[in-house]
């Protein structure tokens, strides 16, 4: 009998193990089970010759994470009677850029802005919760919440979710009751402190040493000057350009808000797109 590879494969599939004999002469063979991620749907692999690769039969662990890190960097620097807060507009997931125009600055009051990076859905849930509680406060007290009160409320809200924390890296910026610039830095469960500046997100490690040198002069012996708004905004732009060169999750553009007694102004500064 002439051996044809294609006919041999077809004969095996239809139960014709002997190519020269008709199919009806062969005993019926049960079909091979269809394997899926949940195991075989029919038949018993244990009664057949097979190779166990450690996945098809043995139990293996499945994982699901409710969090997703969407990247991004935020920065806030306080001045004498103003505060500058900034955040890039790129939203990523892994090695994919999901959007180039997602702001990370959330205005809560006329003098307070929350800068948050991390998981976009958690950040949105957190800001909605804060705005709801602030609206309740306004209805009860007939006045707007102060920046220090918002800072304490944010701490309480994060601590309330300490067993299932919001995946949000928060920096709160605004003017206090005396009109001075205030920046509050937070951890995941609500511990916070007032600092001259704070950074969060994927580019945090690139910004903090730079701010230590240019803003608080921690590694310098010359006196710390009272910088103007324009000087701090220029430093913030350079800092985000620097972070964008090394951090793939920081880029596209940086949104810069200046909070002062006259109100809040916004500027959009372009960054590299790759």
């Amino acid at each position: 009998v002439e051996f044809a590879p294609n006919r041999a494969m077809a004969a095996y599939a239809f139960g014709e193990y002997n190519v020269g004999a008709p199919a009806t002469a062969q005993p019926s063979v049960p079909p091979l089970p269809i394997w899926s991620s949940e195991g075989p749907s029919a038949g018993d692999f244990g009664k057949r010759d097979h190779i166990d690769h450690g996945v098809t039969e043995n139990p293996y662990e499945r994982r699901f994470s409710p969090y997703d890190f969407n990247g991004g960097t935020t920065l806030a620097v306080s001045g004498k009677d103003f505060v500058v807060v900034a955040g890039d507009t790129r939203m990523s997931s892994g090695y994919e850029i999901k959007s180039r125009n997602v702001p990370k600055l959330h205005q809560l009051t006329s003098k307070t802005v929350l800068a948050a990076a991390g998981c976009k859905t958690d950040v949105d849930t957190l800001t909605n919760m804060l705005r709801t509680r602030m609206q309740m406060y306004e209805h009860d007290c007939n006045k707007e919440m102060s920046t220090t009160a918002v800072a304490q409320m944010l701490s309480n809200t994060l601590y309330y979710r300490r067993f299932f924390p919001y995946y949000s890296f928060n920096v709160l910026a605004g003017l206090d009751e005396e009109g001075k610039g205030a920046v509050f830095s937070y951890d995941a469960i609500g511990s916070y402190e007032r600092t001259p500046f704070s950074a969060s997100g994927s580019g945090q490690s690139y910004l903090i040493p730079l701010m230590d040198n240019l803003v608080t002069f921690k590694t310098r012996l010359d006196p710390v000057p009272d910088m103007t708004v324009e000087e701090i905004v220029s430093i913030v732009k350079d800092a985000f350009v620097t972070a964008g060169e090394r951090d793939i999750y920081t880029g596209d553009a940086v949104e810069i808000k200046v909070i002062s007694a006259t109100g809040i102004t916004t500027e959009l500064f372009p960054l590299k797109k790759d």
Side-chain angles (χ1 to χ4, degrees), residues 77-83 174-176 179-183 194-195 259:
V77 182
S78 61
K80 186 175 182 181
D81 56 356
F82 64 90
V83 61
L175 301 179
D176 61 10
K180 298 180 180 179
V183 173
R194 184 169 177 173
T195 58
I259 308 172

Side-chain angles (χ1 to χ4, degrees), residues 44-59:
D44 184 6
F45 271 120
K47 297 180 181 179
R48 290 179 170 273
D49 295 333
H50 65 282
I51 300 176
D52 179 17
H53 297 283
V55 176
T56 58
E57 294 184 47
N58 296 335

Side-chain angles (χ1 to χ4, degrees), residues 73 90 95 202-207 238-251 271-272 274:
T73 304
R90 176 176 294 180
Y95 293 105
S202 56
Q204 178 188 42
S205 59
Y206 303 109
L207 298 186
D238 290 338
F240 273 87
V241 171
T242 301
E245 291 295 330
R246 290 288 181 175
D247 179 31
I248 63 173
Y249 302 110
T250 302
L271 301 174
K272 67 186 186 70
D274 57 354

Side-chain angles (χ1 to χ4, degrees), residues 7-274:
R7 173 161 173 74
M9 294 172 60
Y12 178 81
F14 289 94
E16 301 176 11
Y17 292 101
N18 187 352
V19 179
T24 55
Q26 298 296 329
S28 60
V29 179
L32 292 174
I34 300 175
W35 182 87
S36 67
S37 60
E38 303 297 334
S41 60
D44 184 6
F45 271 120
K47 297 180 181 179
R48 290 179 170 273
D49 295 333
H50 65 282
I51 300 176
D52 179 17
H53 297 283
V55 176
T56 58
E57 294 184 47
N58 296 335
Y60 58 98
E61 184 179 11
R62 298 177 185 270
R63 288 181 177 270
F64 167 76
S65 175
Y67 298 120
D68 186 20
F69 179 64
N70 297 125
T73 304
T74 65
L75 173 65
V77 182
S78 61
K80 186 175 182 181
D81 56 356
F82 64 90
V83 61
V84 178
V85 57
D88 75 308
T89 61
R90 176 176 294 180
M91 187 183 78
S92 307
S93 180
Y95 293 105
E96 297 180 0
I97 296 177
K98 300 296 186 181
S99 176
R100 300 183 185 274
N101 190 26
V102 176
K104 297 177 178 62
L105 305 185
H106 308 274
Q107 183 174 343
L108 301 180
T109 70
S110 61
K111 298 180 180 179
T112 308
V113 172
L114 174 66
C119 182
K120 179 65 166 57
T121 54
D122 275 17
V123 172
D124 290 343
T125 304
L126 175 61
T127 54
N128 290 336
M129 175 68 72
L130 295 176
R131 289 192 174 102
T132 300
R133 293 186 175 181
M134 290 171 59
Q135 190 175 27
M136 295 170 61
Y137 178 90
E138 291 180 9
H139 290 328
D140 292 340
C141 302
N142 199 25
K143 65 177 182 178
E144 188 178 64
M145 240 182 178
S146 65
T147 299
T148 53
V150 175
Q152 183 62 59
M153 181 184 65
L154 176 57
S155 173
N156 295 344
T157 304
L158 294 174
Y159 186 74
Y160 179 77
R161 284 286 299 272
R162 63 191 179 277
F163 298 114
F164 192 9
Y166 292 108
Y167 197 27
S168 174
F169 308 104
N170 304 291
V171 175
L172 190 70
L175 301 179
D176 61 10
E177 291 81 353
E178 300 177 356
K180 298 180 180 179
V183 173
F184 299 91
S185 179
Y186 291 80
D187 69 358
I189 57 173
S191 178
Y192 75 106
E193 62 176 342
R194 184 169 177 173
T195 58
F197 71 89
S198 182
S200 70
S202 56
Q204 178 188 42
S205 59
Y206 303 109
L207 298 186
I208 287 183
L210 188 61
M211 296 299 106
D212 282 337
N213 181 36
L214 298 180
V215 175
T216 57
F217 282 41
K218 285 188 178 181
T219 58
R220 300 165 63 170
L221 299 178
D222 43 333
V224 181
D226 290 331
M227 288 184 285
T228 63
V229 174
E230 292 75 15
E231 290 174 331
I232 292 184
V233 169
S234 178
I235 290 175
V236 169
K237 291 178 180 179
D238 290 338
F240 273 87
V241 171
T242 301
E245 291 295 330
R246 290 288 181 175
D247 179 31
I248 63 173
Y249 302 110
T250 302
D252 295 317
V254 54
E255 182 185 17
I256 303 173
K257 288 183 180 292
V258 178
I259 308 172
S260 62
T262 58
I264 299 177
T265 60
T266 303
E267 178 184 356
L268 199 63
F269 180 73
L271 301 174
K272 67 186 186 70
K273 304 295 183 180
D274 57 354

